[in-house]
Amino acid sequence: MSPEMLRVGNCSGFYGDRLTAMREMLEGGRLDVLTGDYLAELTMLILARDRAKDPDAGYARTFLAQLRDCLRLALDRGVRIVSNAGGVNPGGLVAAVRALGLDPRIALVRGDDLTPRAGDLGLGAPLGAHAYLGAFGIARALRAGADVVITGRVTDASLVVGPAIAHFGWDREDFDKLAGATVAGHVIECGAQATGGNYAFFTELDDPLRPGFPIAELRPDGSSVITKHPGTGGAVTVGTVTAQLVYEVAGARYPGPDVTTRLDTVTLRPAGPDRVEISGVRGEPPPPDVKVSCTSVGGYRNELTVVLTGLDVEAKAALFRRQFDAARGAEPAEVQWGLARLDTPDAPTQQQASALLTVVARDPDEKVAGRAFSNAAVELALSSYPGFFSTTPPERARPYGVFTAGYVPQAVPAHEVVHDDGTAERIDPPPVTRPLAEPRADPPPPVAPGPTRRLPLGTLAGARSGDKGGDANVGLWVRDDAAYPWLAALITEDTVRTLLPEAAALPVRITRLPAVRAVNVVIEGLLGRGVAYHARFDPQAKALGEWLRSRHVDIPTALLEAP
C-alpha cells in the first residue's frame, strides 16, 4: 500500500447489483480497499420490514453470499472490505460473517439506529429511524487493523472517505481533503454508473455491454483519479464522471456529517485512457445536524392497468372510470388515475393501437384498498368498454412505505466502533460545525443572439436523474465550453415547468455549476412521499432526465456546427 496513493474500488451500487462484481474487482487488478454500497431509502424500508418479521434478518444477504465466495481471496490479497451492508442489523451481519469460519478481523460501526428514541427526538413513530453517520468510525476500525468493516447507515461517500482518513492520517478540520475524498466517494458509490452505465451518450461507448466497476485512486491532498480495471467494459471519461457527480445532489453545497463539500469547486480533467482526475475541491465545516432516514408503513396500496385499444380511447377511459367508481363501494382515501396515450392511428400492430389506463388506490384499511378494489375490477370484465382486458389480474392490497427525512444534532447518535476483540470505542462528533447556506446564485451568462434550430435538448446536453425522498433531481451537462452559456441561460424555473408539465405547480430549484459545465435541477414534491409510495409512473425519477432530453428547445446553429 503506497503512502502516496490509496486505491479504493467499489463492487456494489445497490442491494441487487451484479453478484459477481466482488470477484471481478478482486481478480481484475490491484486494490487496497474494496467497498460496497447496498443501502437506499427504499432498501432501508425493505430491511426494516424484514427484521420486523425475523429479528435475525435486516442486512444485505447478497453481500454475505459474495463474502462466502470471495473473503478468502480478499484476505490472501490483503484487500480490506468496507460495506454498509449491515443495513438495520449490522450486528447480525457481523455474526453471519464470523460463521463463515475464515477468522477475519471484523469491526462493527454502530450508533445510527435511533428507532427506540425516535419519539423523544421528535421523529414520530417510524418503523425505522437511522442517522447518516460519517467516516471517522470506519477510519478508526481500519487503523485498528480490521480486515472487514461492517456498518449500518453511514453516508454513501463515507465508505471511501473513511479509508482515506485512516491511510493519510487526516483530522477533523482537513476540510478540503475530506471534501475531495467525498467527491471521489460520491462518484464511485453507484458502481457502474461512473463507468458508462445509465449514461446519456451510451451510443458513443465502444463496449457498453458489461461496464467494469469504478476505482478511485486517492492522494494525500484529497485529489483523486477515477478509473477501472484494464480490459473491463464501459469507459471512464469526463462525461461519465460528470454524470455521476450531478446525480442525486441538491445544490452547490453537498452536506455530510464530516464536511460540507463545495460541488461548485470541482475540476475534472482527462488523465489518460479511462482515467479522470478530480481536483480543486473545497470543503467547509459540516452542518450542526445530521440527517435521519425515517421509514414508515403508510397504509395499503393497490393498482390496476387496463388496456384501451383502437377507436374512442378517451370515451372508453371515461366509461371505465365512471363504472369503476360506482362499483367500488367504499371510497379509498386516495385514488389516482393516469391515461398513457401510447396508441397511434392506423397502427400496424395491436400493441401500437393501445393506450393504458391506470388506477391506484391507497387507504389505511387493507380491505378498502384490497378486496373492494379488486372485486370492482373483476365485476366489470364483461360489462365495460369494447375490448376490455387488463395487463395483470387484480391483486390483493399490499402495504406501502413512506420515507421522510429528519434531523438531529450531531452529538445525538452514539457513534461507536466495536473492534474485533469486542472493545467499543466512541467516535466524538465534529468539534466545528457551520449552518448550511447555499452560495449566492449568479445570473445566467449572456448568450449572443443568432439563428437557432428546434431540436431535442439531448442533442447537446446529457442528463442523469434520480430521487431524494419526495424530490426529484436532474443534473444536466454539456461537453463543450462554448455550449455551457446556452445551457445555463436556457435552464430556468420557467423553462423546467414548461418542458416538464408535471412540475408546473411545484417548487423548482436551479443550481449552476460552471466548473463542470452543469446545471442541477431539483423539483420538490414530484415523487409524492417517496419511492415506496409509488406516486408516479417512474417512482424514482430515473428516466426523468431522459424525458427532459427528448423535449425540443431552440439550439444555436453555431453550436451545432462546432467541430
Side-chain angles (χ1 to χ4, degrees):
M1 192 179 296
S2 166
E4 296 303 315
M5 194 256 285
L6 180 71
R7 195 167 159 91
V8 181
N10 171 281
C11 68
S12 176
F14 70 102
Y15 188 10
D17 210 344
R18 190 187 307 168
L19 196 62
T20 59
M22 182 176 287
R23 177 166 288 277
E24 291 170 18
M25 291 299 287
L26 289 170
E27 292 182 338
R30 186 176 69 80
L31 291 175
D32 300 312
V33 178
L34 182 59
T35 66
D37 177 17
Y38 295 79
L39 301 184
E41 293 165 0
L42 177 61
T43 311
M44 294 299 288
L45 174 65
I46 293 169
L47 295 177
R49 289 178 58 193
D50 286 349
R51 195 176 189 193
K53 298 175 184 176
D54 178 0
D56 293 329
Y59 56 80
R61 296 184 181 276
T62 53
F63 173 76
L64 184 63
Q66 288 172 311
L67 284 192
R68 188 177 291 113
D69 176 52
C70 298
L71 181 55
R72 179 76 273 160
L73 177 61
L75 294 172
D76 290 345
R77 297 197 172 199
V79 178
R80 304 164 95 175
I81 294 175
V82 180
S83 177
N84 60 15
V88 302
N89 188 12
L93 180 55
V94 168
V97 175
R98 290 194 192 284
L100 296 177
L102 297 177
D103 201 27
R105 293 167 295 181
I106 308 175
L108 165 67
V109 176
R110 67 185 183 189
D112 61 295
D113 190 356
L114 304 180
T115 309
R117 306 160 58 193
D120 295 337
L121 295 171
L123 300 171
L127 182 63
H130 294 264
Y132 287 78
L133 300 182
F136 279 85
I138 295 170
R140 283 298 306 138
L142 293 170
R143 294 281 284 188
D147 300 308
V148 178
V149 181
I150 291 172
T151 79
R153 202 16 153 167
V154 298
T155 68
D156 300 341
S158 290
L159 302 175
V160 172
V161 180
I165 294 169
H167 186 69
F168 298 118
W170 298 338
D171 64 30
R172 282 282 190 183
E173 296 187 29
D174 285 327
F175 295 125
D176 291 349
K177 298 173 182 177
L178 295 170
T182 297
V183 172
H186 174 61
V187 168
I188 75 168
E189 73 190 36
C190 286
Q193 281 197 165
T195 58
N198 298 357
Y199 182 52
F201 302 109
F202 71 98
T203 58
E204 299 176 8
L205 302 181
D206 290 336
D207 184 14
L209 177 64
R210 191 177 175 87
F213 276 66
I215 298 165
E217 296 177 350
L218 291 127
R219 301 165 179 159
D221 65 354
S223 64
S224 63
V225 169
I226 306 299
T227 186
K228 63 186 183 70
H229 283 320
T232 55
V236 178
T237 68
V238 169
T240 67
V241 172
T242 302
Q244 183 57 28
L245 179 66
V246 298
Y247 179 59
E248 294 184 347
V249 297
R253 281 189 166 97
Y254 186 62
D258 299 318
V259 63
T260 294
T261 301
R262 291 290 298 265
L263 297 179
D264 54 353
T265 64
V266 176
T267 296
L268 304 177
R269 72 170 188 87
D274 289 320
R275 295 177 64 82
V276 173
E277 182 185 64
I278 300 173
S279 63
V281 186
R282 301 297 302 274
E284 298 171 346
D289 295 335
V290 292
K291 184 178 177 180
V292 183
S293 167
C294 298
T295 54
S296 305
V297 174
Y300 292 87
R301 176 184 181 279
N302 209 338
E303 179 176 334
L304 176 71
T305 297
V306 296
V307 182
L308 314 167
T309 305
L311 304 177
D312 305 319
V313 166
E314 298 286 345
K316 289 172 180 173
L319 173 61
F320 182 78
R321 288 188 60 164
R322 287 176 54 219
Q323 291 178 313
F324 191 74
D325 287 343
R328 199 169 51 231
E331 182 68 16
E334 298 178 52
V335 178
Q336 178 181 335
W337 291 88
L339 176 59
R341 292 299 305 265
L342 308 178
D343 53 304
T344 59
D346 193 23
T349 68
Q350 181 176 331
Q351 189 172 24
Q352 290 172 285
S354 300
L356 301 178
L357 177 64
T358 299
V359 57
V360 179
R362 302 180 188 86
D363 197 88
D365 188 334
E366 183 178 7
K367 292 181 180 178
V368 172
R371 188 180 307 158
F373 181 96
S374 296
N375 287 350
V378 172
E379 290 172 5
L380 292 173
L382 302 181
S383 57
S384 190
Y385 61 86
F388 175 92
F389 73 97
S390 62
T391 56
T392 59
E395 297 182 348
R396 55 186 288 269
R398 301 181 185 278
Y400 69 86
V402 174
F403 169 87
T404 55
Y407 294 88
V408 297
Q410 287 261 18
V412 166
H415 191 174
E416 288 186 331
V417 179
V418 181
H419 296 289
D420 189 63
D421 62 3
T423 60
E425 179 181 357
R426 177 66 184 260
I427 304 300
D428 292 329
V432 179
T433 63
R434 182 186 300 172
L436 188 68
E438 275 300 300
R440 180 177 61 86
D442 294 326
V447 178
T452 62
R453 289 179 60 192
R454 193 79 175 167
L455 291 169
L457 173 62
T459 304
L460 293 184
R464 174 72 60 77
S465 60
D467 62 310
K468 296 299 284 185
D471 298 341
N473 149 251
V474 183
L476 295 157
W477 78 95
V478 290
R479 297 177 291 178
D480 185 272
D481 288 338
Y484 180 71
W486 162 77
L487 180 70
L490 174 71
I491 302 301
T492 65
E493 294 178 18
D494 289 342
T495 303
V496 170
R497 293 191 181 103
T498 299
L499 297 178
L500 303 179
E502 285 185 68
L506 299 175
V508 175
R509 289 184 279 122
I510 306 291
T511 303
R512 297 179 180 89
L513 302 170
V516 291
R517 299 189 291 267
V519 178
N520 190 62
V521 179
V522 175
I523 305 171
E524 298 180 11
L526 183 71
L527 307 180
R529 302 172 71 186
V531 54
Y533 178 76
H534 285 287
R536 66 189 298 272
F537 174 66
D538 173 16
Q540 290 182 279
K542 296 298 186 183
L544 184 65
E546 287 302 295
W547 178 26
L548 184 56
R549 291 182 71 234
S550 75
R551 298 308 308 270
H552 286 217
V553 298
D554 293 325
I555 300 178
T557 305
L559 298 179
L560 299 170
E561 296 171 349

